[in-house]
Amino acid sequence: MRSAAKKAAPAKKAVAVGSAEKKAAGAKGAEKKAAAVKKIAVRPPSGESSTALVRRARRINRELAEVYPYAHPELDFENPFQLLVATVLSAQTTDLRVNQTTPALFARYPAPEDLAAADPEQVEEILRPCGFFRAKTRSVIGLSKALTEDFGGEVPGRLEDLVKLPGVGRKTAFVVLGNAFGRPGITVDTHFQRLVRRWRWTEETDPDKIEAAVGALFPKSDWTDLSHHVIWHGRRICHARKPACGACPIAPLCPAYGEGETDPEKAQKLLKYEKGGFPGQRLKPPQAYLDAGGKPAPPLGAA
């Protein structure tokens, strides 16, 4: 029996080593995923040269910058931790719903250490209005534990560190980097994907490839504001089902003009948020947004 036990020991050690190797391989995989997406060739629409595509894309961004000079992230936040959590919660729901939900969450759990030690059932009850509240509870508690244990309770300012956190992908990481740390990044959400294909900036459908293709059209310093301009336009005018083409300021530059309502009066009725006189997504928007006629969103449960 003793002899058998001695023979079994090396096998157990081998399993442990194998597990360590798998863990190291997983870490390397995460680092590779976090690395900058390899640049891909820009394929302009038929009949448009690469140079013409770059000029048209940059002109669209300039026009949108004039329409939305106050464009900003539409999630309420006061620090990187709040923005990180809010962005994770925004998956498959609206920023408005997240903004209506997070005040209670952050009042009860203001720091990563607090949320890391939270009772999951109590967090689930707060996050219920956001949808998928059980999965989102696991993500925000998990990332809070990782921040506490691995980063001293601070949100890291590097892409390769952010994407290692539970529930955090490239899109979420770039939102945090661009808006909490001032580091340029392209946020490829559903609005961004829809519009850049509609404008024929790219035919790619994979978010990482879209990020690379669109990034090649603009200087890196433009990436964060570009993301805001495109997303704002997608939410306010260039809607998925019925774009308000007749009220679009970039209609002459859009290859997809005519897919939506072209009559100016009818198109005007399709506008959302400040363009249509409705409240925006944030409960506490920047002053520039209010000065431009934007209205703050109502809190959760308000009539």
Side-chain angles (χ1 to χ4, degrees):
M1 293 296 289
R2 289 180 182 176
S3 177
K6 288 181 180 179
K7 290 180 180 179
K12 188 174 182 181
K13 185 176 181 181
V15 171
V17 171
S19 177
E21 290 176 348
K22 287 181 180 179
K23 189 174 181 180
K28 288 182 180 179
E31 290 176 4
K32 287 181 179 179
K33 188 176 180 182
V37 177
K38 188 176 181 180
K39 288 188 177 181
I40 60 176
V42 175
R43 293 193 292 270
S46 178
E48 185 175 34
S49 68
S50 297
T51 300
L53 172 59
V54 169
R55 288 176 177 171
R56 181 169 63 85
R58 294 186 182 186
R59 185 177 172 190
I60 286 176
N61 187 41
R62 288 196 300 272
E63 295 285 345
L64 294 180
E66 292 185 9
V67 177
Y68 311 110
Y70 43 80
H72 56 267
E74 294 196 87
L75 290 167
D76 281 320
F77 70 99
E78 296 178 357
N79 55 56
F81 173 63
Q82 289 188 1
L83 179 58
L84 176 61
V85 170
T87 307
V88 170
L89 295 179
S90 69
Q92 297 179 290
T93 190
T94 63
D95 286 357
L96 171 58
R97 180 61 71 185
V98 174
N99 291 336
Q100 292 173 327
T101 305
T102 50
L105 180 72
F106 296 139
R108 189 161 186 174
Y109 310 106
E113 296 84 354
D114 303 310
L115 194 50
D119 180 344
E121 291 186 1
Q122 294 180 0
V123 177
E124 285 178 3
E125 195 57 36
I126 295 174
L127 300 185
R128 189 177 293 271
C130 284
F132 302 95
F133 58 92
R134 292 189 179 88
K136 291 179 180 181
T137 294
R138 289 194 295 272
S139 291
V140 298
I141 289 179
L143 71 84
S144 296
K145 288 181 178 177
L147 291 176
T148 302
E149 296 171 1
D150 301 332
F151 299 100
E154 299 291 332
V155 176
R158 299 195 313 163
L159 175 65
E160 54 267 38
D161 291 330
L162 284 169
V163 296
K164 293 177 184 177
L165 300 172
V168 178
R170 288 182 70 90
K171 186 194 84 169
T172 296
F174 281 133
V175 169
V176 174
L177 290 173
N179 298 289
F181 294 99
R183 296 174 184 172
I186 294 178
T187 303
V188 184
D189 73 348
T190 54
H191 298 287
F192 194 95
Q193 292 182 48
R194 181 179 77 252
L195 266 63
V196 299
R197 288 199 297 270
R198 192 172 271 174
W199 295 335
R200 298 183 190 171
W201 287 4
T202 179
E203 295 177 355
E204 300 292 346
T205 57
D206 177 77
D208 289 354
K209 292 182 179 179
I210 290 174
E211 177 195 324
V214 174
L217 302 175
F218 296 88
K220 193 172 182 179
S221 58
D222 288 353
W223 288 357
T224 299
D225 285 342
L226 168 71
S227 299
H228 291 323
H229 298 153
V230 175
I231 293 169
W232 273 55
H233 193 62
R235 284 177 172 166
R236 285 152 178 77
I237 295 178
C238 196
H239 311 137
R241 295 183 180 178
K242 199 170 185 180
C245 293
C248 181
I250 60 166
L253 301 169
C254 181
Y257 176 79
E259 287 186 7
E261 181 58 66
T262 57
D263 180 86
E265 291 186 8
K266 292 180 180 179
Q268 189 71 26
K269 295 177 181 179
L270 298 174
L271 303 185
K272 297 180 180 179
Y273 307 129
E274 78 285 347
K275 295 299 174 185
F278 304 112
Q281 301 253 314
R282 292 183 69 162
L283 278 67
K284 298 179 179 180
Q287 188 60 45
Y289 178 75
L290 298 174
D291 292 343
K295 300 177 181 179
L300 190 64

